[in-house]
Amino acid sequence: MSTNTTPYIGENSPLNQITTYFNALQSSAEEYLFVVDLDSKMILLSDNFMKDFDFPSNIVDDLDNLMMPFIYHDDREIFEEAMRDIWTADKGETVQCDFRLLRSNGDYGWVNLKMTIGGDEFSDQPEILSGVIKRLDEVAKADYVTGLLRRSVFYSDLTKELENQNAHGAVIVIALDNFNVITENYGHKFGDSAFRQIAQNITNVLPPDIHLYKLDGYSFGLFMPDAMPEEIEIIFASVQLCMREIRNVEDTIYCTASAGAALYPNDANDVTTLVRYAEVALEIAHQKGRDQIAFFEKEAYDRWRYDIGMQNLMQNCIARGCEDFFLCYQPQVDAKDGRLLGAEALLRWYDNDGSVVAPMQFIPMLEKSRMIIPVGHWIIENAVIMAKKWQHYMPDFQMSINISLYQLEERMFYPFVEDCIARHQIDPSTIIFELTESHNIYDWDFVNKQFAAFHDLGIKIAIDDFGSGYANIGFLKNFKCDLIKIDRMFVENLHESEFNRNLLKYSIMLCHSVGMEVLIEGVETEEEYLYLRDECKVDQIQGFYFGYPEMEDVFEKRFKK
Ligand code: C2E
Ligand code: CA
Ligand code: CA
C-alpha cells in the first residue's frame, strides 16, 4: 500500500518526513489515521480513510468540511467543538470525542476520534497533529477484565431506550476514586481482580434488569428507566457499601466511588448530551470531595460554560493588549463643598456581542486564573496616563486605583509601579492604591510590608469596603494607611435606625482619632449627603449623587465647564 506523494506537500513539511512510518502504520491498522502539518494545514489520510469515504485524494486541506456530511447531524457540534479545541491546544495535549459516523451499509456507527498535538523535541512549537478514528462497534463488545459490556454497547442500548416515546429515567456514571493508587501499590494483576470484584458487587446491588457497562478507565455507566432521584441515591448508597466490602479483601485498601447522574428527558434526551451531563455531574461530585453522587444542574452548568467562554475571550483579549477592556472614572469630591478631588478608575469589559460587562462578573475569575496580573498592569498604566492628562487641568487631581491582593503577591509588581511612575513623571502622592476587599489575607505582615514599600515611594494607601469584610476597627491599629473607604452598605441602612447612624458617626470619629481620612461610598441622595457632611464630618464622598462612573470623554467635560 502506498501513499501518493503529490506536489501539495512541501519538501520540508513534517508530513514528508513521516510518510514512511505512516505507511507502515496504516498497513497494520484498522482505524482511520490522519496527520496534519500545522504549518501548511495539509492533511495526510490513510488509504482506508480515503477509500471508505470516497475522498478525492490522500492529501486534503479541509478535513472538517469533508467529514461533516458523514457525521450524524446531532453529533456535528461535538465534532466541531473537538476540532476547535485541538486548534488551540498545546504540544502534547490530546482531545477526544465520540460521535456517529455513516457506515457503508447506510447505518450510523459510533466512533471515537482521538487527536494529539506533537512537535519537534527541541521546541514548544506544535508542528503536527495526529488523529485516529476508531470504530467502537467493531471492537469486542465485552471488557476482558470485568466481562461487562463496553461503552459502544452502552451507547447503542441507551439509544434504543431513548427511542421509546415517554422514556424517562436516569443516566449514571460511576468512577472509582484513587483506584490507580491500588494498581500502583499492588500491581496490575491484583488491581484487575479487585476491579472485577467491584464490578461484580455493583452489578449485584442493581435491580435485576439493569445492566452495568464498563466505560473508560476505572468507571462504569448505567441507565435506569423510570428511576427517581431518591431511588438513585439509595442505589448509590449500596454502591458505597460495595466499596467498603472490597476493603475486606485487603484491609489496607482504601477506595471510594463517586457518581454523576443526568435525568431524561428533563436534562436532555439524546445519548451524547446525557452522558456528557452525567460526566459533568461526576466532575462536581469530585470537586465536592468525592465519595458521593451529584446530579446534573443545568443552571450551574450554563454558568460554568459562560465562565469558561468568558475566560477564553479574556485570554485572547489580554494577548491582544487588553483592547476590550476600558476604564470608567467616578468622581470623588470634598465633603465640605462638593469640590472635585479626583476619581476612582473602575474596570469594564466589552463582551464579544458589544455589551458592557461589570467587574463583579469577571474580576473573581481574573483573580482565580491570575490573569489579573497582566490586566492589573494595564489598569495602572492607563489610569496613570489619564491622571497625568487631567492634572493638566487640575494639578492636584487624585487617581484611585483598585489593587487585587494577587497583584501584591507578584514579584514584578513593585518594580513595574516604580517604573510606571518614573516613565510618566507623575507625582506619586496623587495616586491612591485601594486594596480590594478579600477574605483570604493570611499574611498581613507581608501585605503591610508591601504597602509600606508603596508608601515610601509616595503612593497613598486606602482600605476599600471598610466594615464589610475582613476590615474592622480592631485591625486599624496595626495597619498603616492614609484613607478609609467606608462601604456603601453603611449608607444604605442609615435611615433604618438611630443605631446605624451612630455606628457610622463613631466609626468615622475613631478613624479621625488615629489620623486617617474617611471617604464614604455610595451616597445617592441629598439627605444622606447632608447627614454625612454635618453630623459625621466625613472628608470625602463618592456616589451617584455626585456622579456615576463615566467614560473618559464624559468625565473630561467636568474640567471644561
Ligand atoms: P468598589 O471598589 O467598591 O467600587 C465601587 C463600586 O460601587 C463601583 O461598582 C461603583 O459603580 C459602585 N457605586 C459607586 N457609587 C455608588 C452609589 O451611589 N450607589 C450604588 N448603588 N453603587 C455605587 P463597579 O464599578 O461595578 O465595581 C465593583 C467592584 O469591582 C469594585 O468595587 C471593585 O471591587 C472591583 N473593581 C472595579 N474595578 C477594578 C479594577 O480596576 N481592579 C480591581 N482589582 N477591582 C476592580
Ligand atoms: Ca474601590
Ligand atoms: Ca468600595
Side-chain angles (χ1 to χ4, degrees):
M1 213 182 270
S2 75
T3 302
N4 307 335
T5 22
T6 71
Y8 290 115
I9 37 176
E11 243 169 60
N12 296 328
S13 165
L15 295 188
N16 240 340
Q17 292 155 27
I18 61 156
T19 316
T20 321
Y21 302 109
F22 190 73
N23 286 343
L25 198 61
Q26 66 164 323
S27 62
S28 58
E30 305 268 295
E31 292 85 358
Y32 299 130
L33 310 177
F34 62 92
V35 195
V36 186
D37 170 6
L38 291 174
D39 192 31
S40 67
K41 302 275 187 304
M42 283 299 160
I43 304 161
L44 181 59
L45 306 175
S46 57
D47 287 351
N48 59 345
F49 202 177
M50 176 186 74
K51 285 184 189 140
D52 285 4
F53 292 89
D54 216 8
F55 291 154
S57 152
N58 271 73
I59 295 160
V60 297
D61 60 4
D62 189 358
L63 190 58
D64 304 17
N65 273 332
L66 278 176
M67 280 192 68
M68 208 48 87
F70 298 98
I71 297 173
Y72 189 61
H73 47 79
D74 279 358
D75 300 344
R76 286 180 188 165
E77 208 183 303
I78 296 166
F79 174 74
E80 281 169 341
E81 193 177 313
M83 295 314 273
R84 268 199 305 276
D85 288 349
I86 197 75
W87 291 127
T88 53
D90 291 326
K91 195 178 134 186
E93 267 184 61
T94 294
V95 171
Q96 58 174 322
C97 66
D98 295 341
F99 54 89
R100 280 159 285 189
L101 195 61
L102 195 65
R103 277 194 292 226
S104 47
N105 66 3
D107 282 350
Y108 283 93
W110 284 99
V111 297
N112 170 268
L113 163 65
K114 192 169 183 175
M115 296 176 285
T116 307
I117 294 271
D120 190 299
E121 59 183 304
F122 302 110
S123 88
D124 290 334
Q125 199 54 34
E127 284 190 336
I128 209 168
L129 185 169
S130 59
V132 179
I133 299 179
K134 189 163 67 182
R135 288 205 171 277
L136 294 174
D137 41 7
E138 279 164 14
V139 295
K141 284 200 168 176
D143 174 60
Y144 74 98
V145 172
T146 56
L148 294 179
L149 295 169
R150 285 187 189 256
R151 188 161 49 138
S152 54
V153 192
F154 177 49
Y155 282 17
S156 58
D157 288 357
L158 182 56
T159 307
K160 275 183 221 133
E161 157 71 5
L162 296 172
E163 276 163 6
N164 297 331
Q165 262 194 341
N166 309 327
H168 66 96
V171 172
I172 302 163
V173 290
I174 302 174
L176 305 188
D177 307 321
N178 312 324
F179 199 79
N180 49 350
V181 176
I182 292 175
T183 42
E184 192 65 36
N185 285 342
Y186 298 94
H188 279 278
K189 205 161 165 219
F190 179 83
D192 281 356
S193 93
F195 190 59
R196 191 177 311 122
Q197 186 64 51
I198 291 171
Q200 189 57 54
N201 293 355
I202 296 179
T203 309
N204 292 345
V205 300
L206 296 178
D209 49 344
I210 303 294
H211 291 296
L212 186 68
Y213 303 81
K214 158 84 172 57
L215 306 184
D216 306 317
Y218 300 112
S219 68
F220 306 101
L222 64 143
F223 60 91
M224 294 183 62
D226 304 322
M228 305 294 276
E230 303 75 42
E231 285 170 67
I232 296 165
E233 277 173 355
I234 292 171
I235 288 179
F236 182 69
S238 316
V239 171
Q240 284 176 306
L241 282 177
C242 297
M243 299 309 294
R244 291 201 185 109
E245 267 165 42
I246 194 71
R247 262 172 258 167
N248 298 336
V249 180
E250 175 68 62
D251 60 9
T252 50
I253 292 183
Y254 184 78
C255 178
T256 55
S258 303
L263 305 177
Y264 56 89
N266 270 19
D267 293 330
N269 51 16
D270 70 279
V271 182
T272 29
T273 315
L274 274 168
V275 175
R276 194 173 54 185
Y277 283 0
E279 282 166 350
V280 168
L282 174 65
E283 182 57 36
I284 291 174
H286 282 164
Q287 282 168 13
K288 285 184 174 166
R290 297 172 189 264
D291 196 14
Q292 58 193 290
I293 185 167
F295 286 83
F296 177 76
E297 284 174 45
K298 184 91 173 91
E299 242 172 61
Y301 177 72
D302 287 345
R303 225 179 308 129
W304 176 79
R305 292 284 314 179
Y306 179 80
D307 280 355
I308 295 277
M310 189 159 71
Q311 188 163 341
N312 214 344
L313 288 173
M314 288 208 167
Q315 240 149 9
N316 293 335
C317 163
I318 293 167
R320 291 192 314 267
C322 294
E323 63 181 23
D324 298 330
F325 286 109
F326 66 97
L327 291 173
C328 276
Y329 301 89
Q330 187 179 25
Q332 297 175 327
V333 304
D334 189 328
K336 284 193 294 298
D337 48 16
R339 186 177 60 94
L340 183 71
L341 295 174
E344 175 176 5
L346 294 161
L347 188 62
R348 301 285 180 268
W349 181 65
Y350 283 121
D351 204 343
N352 59 343
D353 63 4
S355 58
V356 173
V357 185
M360 292 326 278
Q361 272 177 275
F362 60 82
I363 297 259
M365 188 269 286
L366 287 181
E367 291 183 331
K368 212 165 133 208
S369 62
R370 298 297 189 272
M371 286 195 272
I372 192 69
I373 310 262
V375 179
H377 283 198
W378 180 91
I379 294 168
I380 294 175
E381 187 78 31
N382 284 276
V384 165
I385 291 173
M386 205 46 67
K388 184 74 188 172
K389 184 178 178 204
W390 290 342
Q391 283 168 9
H392 177 71
Y393 305 104
M394 201 185 127
D396 56 351
F397 184 88
Q398 70 183 29
M399 183 65 85
S400 291
I401 305 173
N402 290 287
I403 304 294
S404 147
L405 253 190
Y406 300 100
Q407 288 172 269
L408 280 190
E409 284 170 2
E410 191 228 350
R411 226 167 21 90
M412 295 311 290
F413 186 54
Y414 181 86
F416 165 78
V417 173
E418 201 177 21
D419 175 64
C420 181
I421 293 214
R423 266 187 293 115
H424 297 290
Q425 301 210 316
I426 191 155
D427 173 1
S429 71
T430 60
I431 301 297
I432 302 174
F433 276 181
E434 296 188 3
L435 178 60
T436 315
E437 217 250 325
S438 164
H439 335 276
N440 39 14
I441 297 188
Y442 299 115
D443 194 350
W444 273 111
D445 197 38
F446 172 76
V447 172
N448 231 338
K449 276 194 191 119
Q450 284 288 82
F451 271 115
F454 286 117
H455 211 259
D456 291 345
L457 199 62
I459 290 176
K460 292 202 177 117
I461 307 299
I463 286 297
D464 205 354
D465 302 334
F466 183 79
S468 72
Y470 66 83
N472 58 44
I473 298 204
F475 131 116
L476 275 185
K477 65 178 187 307
N478 47 25
F479 194 82
K480 298 183 197 71
C481 70
D482 305 277
L483 181 73
I484 297 289
K485 293 188 78 170
I486 294 188
D487 193 64
R488 187 160 69 86
M489 157 184 114
F490 287 86
V491 182
E492 267 171 355
N493 60 26
L494 267 188
H495 64 276
E496 278 170 16
S497 70
E498 188 63 26
F499 176 81
N500 291 348
R501 284 190 287 278
N502 282 333
L503 180 68
L504 188 60
K505 187 161 145 185
Y506 292 117
S507 302
I508 294 172
M509 270 172 69
L510 194 79
C511 293
H512 282 161
S513 74
V514 291
M516 289 175 193
E517 280 201 63
V518 179
L519 179 151
I520 302 270
E521 287 189 284
V523 177
E524 296 187 358
T525 66
E526 181 173 23
E527 190 191 351
E528 288 163 356
Y529 166 54
L530 294 178
Y531 176 77
L532 292 164
R533 182 188 70 182
D534 301 335
E535 298 296 320
C536 301
K537 307 277 188 283
V538 68
D539 305 286
Q540 302 183 23
I541 298 227
Q542 180 183 343
F544 293 169
Y545 182 63
F546 287 99
Y548 294 95
E550 294 160 354
M551 305 277 277
E552 175 187 322
D553 51 337
V554 178
F555 193 93
E556 204 161 295
K557 290 193 185 124
R558 292 173 180 272
F559 302 113
K560 296 175 180 166
K561 271 180 193 156

